[in-house]
């Protein structure tokens, strides 16, 4: 069940895997055919990798270890495996996508740049947190540094949560608050600072509390903010994501460049996005486009531009979109292309 524990794996940092020389980050790296290559905590350079191609007959597998990959583009024709549905990884793994704002297709035709394009299969599965979001059991007042939740959770110290605003005009007042956990016991959660605003938790309705942190993060580089041009993941084969955080992702008003994008797959009963988090997205959260029978369940989204959980054409059928939280979602205003709605 654990891809990184199977036999017959070749190590990325072993020169023999590549026929004698480990490839340079500045080159376009294509995995050897019919090979399963394992990335461990000592495999990668700290440099930004230009591009990695996983051929149709090969697999790129991440170990359950602290791993950081800086990269401009990845094309997955075979299989990218970071854990599995039945073998979630507990280590901190971060993939940072780099690149200046561009309309060039550096990944593959129609797949754009600064992202991961998947023609084959992608599996990314981090530790499961339950619940991914819940509600307040009592009102939190300015000056408080703790809350009571309606449900027991397995969150832990150091993680961040968003406590949503219960004001009517959130976009103007901006009273959502992101807090860092310093102690947790059952349904009581304590933070490193006090609340600035009140968050109602009465009988009629209650503020939501969503977990933003995950063990596995896919993110745009630091310079994404200046251009609103983050990373993106486009799946045209099979895509399974659970326990993944997308941060500084999406490319504002660039067609088809979203944090998670199931694109024209057709029948996709094995594809899903579950218990993930999308934070600071420049263009939507997840788009289901020309894709049927996929599932988008128990996800948390905060600080997002444009429609968050999105059926792109309206012809998509039998998808399950359930128990997702979206907070602080902003209007984009102008269309990307005059006369065309995205």
């Amino acid at each position: 069940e654990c891809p990184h524990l199977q036999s017959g794996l070749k190590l990325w940092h072993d020169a023999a895997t590549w026929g004698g020389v480990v490839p340079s980050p500045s080159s376009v790296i294509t995995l050897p055919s019919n090979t399963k290559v394992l990335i461990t905590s000592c495999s990668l350079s700290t440099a930004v990798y230009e591009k990695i191609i996983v051929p149709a007959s090969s697999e790129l597998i991440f170990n359950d270890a602290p791993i950081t990959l800086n990269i401009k583009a990845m094309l997955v024709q075979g299989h990218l495996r970071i854990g599995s549905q039945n073998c979630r990884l507990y280590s901190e793994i971060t993939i940072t996508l780099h690149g200046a704002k561009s309309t060039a297709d550096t990944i593959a035709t129609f797949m754009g740049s600064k992202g991961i394009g998947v023609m084959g299969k992608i599996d990314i599965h981090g530790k499961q947190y339950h619940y991914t979001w819940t509600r307040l059991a009592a009102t939190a007042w300015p000056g408080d540094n703790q809350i009571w939740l309606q449900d027991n959770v397995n969150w832990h110290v150091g993680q961040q949560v968003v406590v949503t605003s219960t004001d009517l005009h959130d976009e103007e007042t901006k009273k959502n608050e992101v807090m860092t956990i310093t102690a947790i016991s059952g349904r009581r959660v304590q933070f490193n600072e006090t609340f600035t605003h009140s968050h109602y938790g009465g009988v009629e309705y209650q503020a939501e509390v969503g977990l933003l942190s995950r063990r596995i993060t896919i993110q745009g580089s630091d310079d994404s903010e200046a251009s609103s041009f983050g990373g993106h993941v486009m799946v045209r084969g099979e895509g399974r994501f659970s326990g993944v955080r997308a941060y500084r992702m999406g490319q504002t008003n660039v067609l088809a460049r979203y944090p998670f994008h199931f694109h024209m797959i057709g029948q996709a009963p094995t594809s899903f996005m579950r218990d993930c988090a999308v934070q600071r997205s420049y263009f939507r959260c997840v788009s289901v486009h020309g894709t049927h029978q996929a599932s988008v369940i128990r996800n948390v989204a905060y600080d997002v531009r444009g429609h968050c959980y999105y059926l792109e054409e309206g012809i998509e059928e039998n998808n399950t979109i359930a128990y997702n939280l979206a907070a602080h979602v902003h209007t984009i205003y102008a269309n990307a292309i005059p006369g065309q709605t995205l």
Side-chain angles (χ1 to χ4, degrees), residues 72 97-102 113-115 219-221 223-233 247-252 254 257-259 280-283 305:
K72 293 181 180 179
L97 298 164
H98 295 257
K101 188 172 183 178
S102 172
S113 64
K114 199 175 181 177
Q219 63 181 8
S221 52
D223 58 1
S224 301
E225 184 68 23
S227 59
S228 297
F229 192 84
H232 74 102
V233 179
Y247 182 63
R248 291 194 300 249
M249 297 283 279
Q251 300 171 0
T252 301
V254 181
R257 306 293 178 255
Y258 318 123
R280 193 55 185 152
S281 170
Y282 307 120
F283 205 21
R305 293 180 191 166

Side-chain angles (χ1 to χ4, degrees), residues 291-305:
T291 298
H292 318 288
Q293 299 187 50
S295 59
V296 180
I297 301 174
R298 299 188 305 275
N299 301 290
V300 172
Y302 170 68
D303 193 10
V304 175
R305 293 180 191 166

Side-chain angles (χ1 to χ4, degrees), residues 190-252:
Q190 188 171 333
F191 302 114
N192 64 338
E193 55 188 339
T194 60
F195 285 104
T196 301
H197 310 289
S198 61
H199 302 267
Y200 186 70
V203 176
E204 319 93 311
Y205 63 92
Q206 308 85 31
E208 295 87 1
V209 184
L211 181 69
L212 298 175
S213 301
R214 299 293 188 275
R215 294 289 179 93
I216 298 176
T217 296
I218 304 174
Q219 63 181 8
S221 52
D222 292 343
D223 58 1
S224 301
E225 184 68 23
S227 59
S228 297
F229 192 84
H232 74 102
V233 179
M234 174 184 278
V235 180
R236 303 184 71 174
E238 290 183 54
R240 290 172 287 271
F241 306 91
S242 56
V244 182
R245 176 184 181 233
Y247 182 63
R248 291 194 300 249
M249 297 283 279
Q251 300 171 0
T252 301

Side-chain angles (χ1 to χ4, degrees), residues 172-192:
E172 292 80 9
T173 59
K174 295 180 174 59
K175 292 184 179 180
N176 301 285
E177 298 192 66
V178 176
M179 312 289 281
T180 301
I181 299 172
T182 56
I184 186 166
S185 177
R187 295 185 296 113
R188 184 178 68 87
V189 183
Q190 188 171 333
F191 302 114
N192 64 338

